[in-house]
């Protein structure tokens, strides 16, 4: 089994890290982006993801200043997304210090953006971020755009498969029903996407307990089959730390990076 990654996520709005429930409920301030980034590097997080969560909805430009400030101070890989709509946006963020670029609404509006970015910068730089919500009839999940505000009608599995065909190097799957609830990742949706594509899948939305990380990273008939787990509020507000999660996963036989050894 390849080593699994633990990734804190920083949702940024107006220069501050915030956290909501199911995208729109219970808005809370979580702190300064650079301060949190430095804390997570000290905790040996594998990567860090920044999302400007209202850039597309508000039609704002990229948060290049945040990207540059954080990249100058921390060494771990950075993924940045929000308001990415053109090939030039990829270049600007990469030049500001990002290692990977997350594209969501921009790719839904113009799917060829994935192919263009992959062709110019390499698939390893292109993360397809998908916000999805279970359909009322329970038949599957629909993809949403504009920070979860618009139901596109696209089927989650079909969009993930198409994203791979267009050249995405990784998928970050956020299930809106679980986001911020701390009730656990959506294992069914994560497993369905992981089994439908041959790309690394990052599970996002719902982390609350140590067991949630184990469940989504496990394989088998009940696990989520994810390659990495992303979380926000449980880390931001000190309920769990990255070392706690990695130590627990080690006891469960799940390899993590760096190789974890018992004290």
């Amino acid at each position: 089994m390849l080593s699994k990654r633990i990734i804190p996520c920083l949702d940024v709005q107006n220069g501050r890290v915030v956290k909501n429930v199911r995208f729109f409920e219970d808005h809370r301030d979580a702190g300064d982006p650079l301060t949190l980034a430095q804390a997570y590097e000290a905790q040996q997080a594998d990567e860090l993801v920044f999302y400007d969560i209202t850039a597309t909805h508000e039609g704002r430009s990229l948060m290049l200043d945040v990207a540059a400030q954080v990249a100058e101070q921390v060494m771990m890989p950075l993924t940045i997304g929000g308001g990415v709509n053109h090939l030039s946006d990829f270049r600007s963020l990469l030049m500001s210090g990002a290692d990977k670029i997350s594209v969501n609404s921009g790719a839904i509006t113009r799917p060829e953006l994935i192919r263009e970015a992959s062709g110019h910068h390499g698939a390893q730089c292109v993360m397809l971020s998908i916000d999805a919500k279970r359909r009322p009839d329970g038949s599957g999940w629909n993809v949403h755009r504009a920070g979860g505000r618009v139901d596109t009608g696209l089927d989650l599995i079909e969009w993930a498969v198409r994203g791979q065909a267009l050249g995405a190097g990784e998928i970050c799957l956020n299930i809106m029903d679980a986001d911020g609830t701390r009730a656990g990742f959506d294992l069914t949706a994560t497993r369905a996407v992981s089994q439908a594509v041959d790309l690394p899948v990052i599970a996002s939305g719902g982390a609350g307990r140590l067991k949630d990380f184990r469940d989504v990273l496990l394989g088998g008939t009940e696990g989520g089959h994810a390659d990495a787990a992303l979380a926000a509020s449980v880390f931001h507000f000190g309920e769990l730390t990255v070392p706690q999660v990695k130590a627990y996963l080690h006891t469960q036989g799940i390899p993590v990076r760096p190789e974890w050894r018992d004290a």
Side-chain angles (χ1 to χ4, degrees):
M1 182 188 296
L2 294 176
S3 294
K4 305 294 187 176
R5 293 169 287 152
I6 303 301
I7 306 173
C9 177
L10 282 67
D11 293 332
V12 179
Q13 184 175 13
N14 299 322
R16 298 286 294 178
V17 177
V18 299
K19 192 66 194 95
N20 303 321
V21 176
R22 298 187 183 92
F23 278 47
F24 311 116
E25 305 168 20
D26 191 24
H27 177 99
R28 299 174 67 188
D29 183 278
D32 171 68
L34 178 57
T35 301
L36 286 169
Q38 291 171 321
Y40 291 132
E41 181 164 64
Q43 290 183 29
Q44 292 189 301
D46 294 295
E47 301 174 24
L48 197 60
V49 172
F50 281 87
Y51 286 131
D52 187 332
I53 59 173
T54 58
T56 295
H57 174 64
E58 296 175 357
R60 286 186 289 99
S61 58
L62 307 170
M63 54 177 185
L64 299 177
D65 54 341
V66 174
Q69 183 183 37
V70 173
E72 185 177 336
Q73 297 294 325
V74 303
M75 296 301 296
M76 65 179 154
L78 301 176
T79 299
I80 298 183
V84 176
N85 296 300
H86 308 285
L87 184 60
S88 60
D89 295 335
F90 278 82
R91 183 179 186 278
S92 295
L93 286 167
L94 290 169
M95 292 293 289
S96 293
D99 298 280
K100 292 187 285 189
I101 309 304
S102 175
V103 61
N104 189 326
S105 297
I108 294 171
T109 301
R110 195 170 68 85
E112 282 301 312
L113 178 60
I114 299 173
R115 191 189 308 279
E116 293 170 4
S118 182
H120 278 77
H121 302 294
Q124 78 282 353
C125 293
V126 184
M127 176 195 286
L128 177 60
S129 179
I130 304 177
D131 299 328
K133 190 172 184 178
R134 185 179 290 273
R135 291 191 282 268
D137 63 4
S139 62
W141 303 264
N142 278 5
V143 175
H144 287 58
R145 65 173 179 83
R149 293 170 178 81
V150 179
D151 185 344
T152 67
L154 290 171
D155 177 76
L156 166 62
I157 306 303
E158 292 178 1
W159 178 233
V161 170
R162 188 179 181 194
Q164 173 176 314
L166 287 166
E170 189 171 43
I171 289 174
C172 183
L173 175 63
N174 190 39
I175 300 302
M176 296 172 61
D177 310 273
D179 181 73
T181 64
R182 307 185 195 186
F185 297 93
D186 188 322
L187 301 181
T188 304
T190 306
R191 182 168 57 248
V193 172
S194 297
Q195 293 178 338
V197 300
D198 295 319
L199 297 176
V201 173
I202 301 172
S204 172
R209 303 168 297 166
L210 291 170
K211 179 178 179 296
D212 297 333
F213 289 88
R214 181 201 68 180
D215 291 348
V216 81
L217 296 172
L218 281 175
T221 58
E222 297 186 359
H225 292 247
D227 299 276
L230 180 150
S233 57
V234 292
F235 291 147
H236 299 340
F237 300 115
E239 295 162 38
L240 293 175
T241 66
V242 173
Q244 282 180 314
V245 173
K246 289 190 173 187
Y248 172 76
L249 293 174
H250 174 71
T251 68
Q252 301 298 302
I254 297 175
V256 292
R257 301 187 296 186
E259 182 180 352
W260 206 264
R261 293 177 173 84
D262 294 320

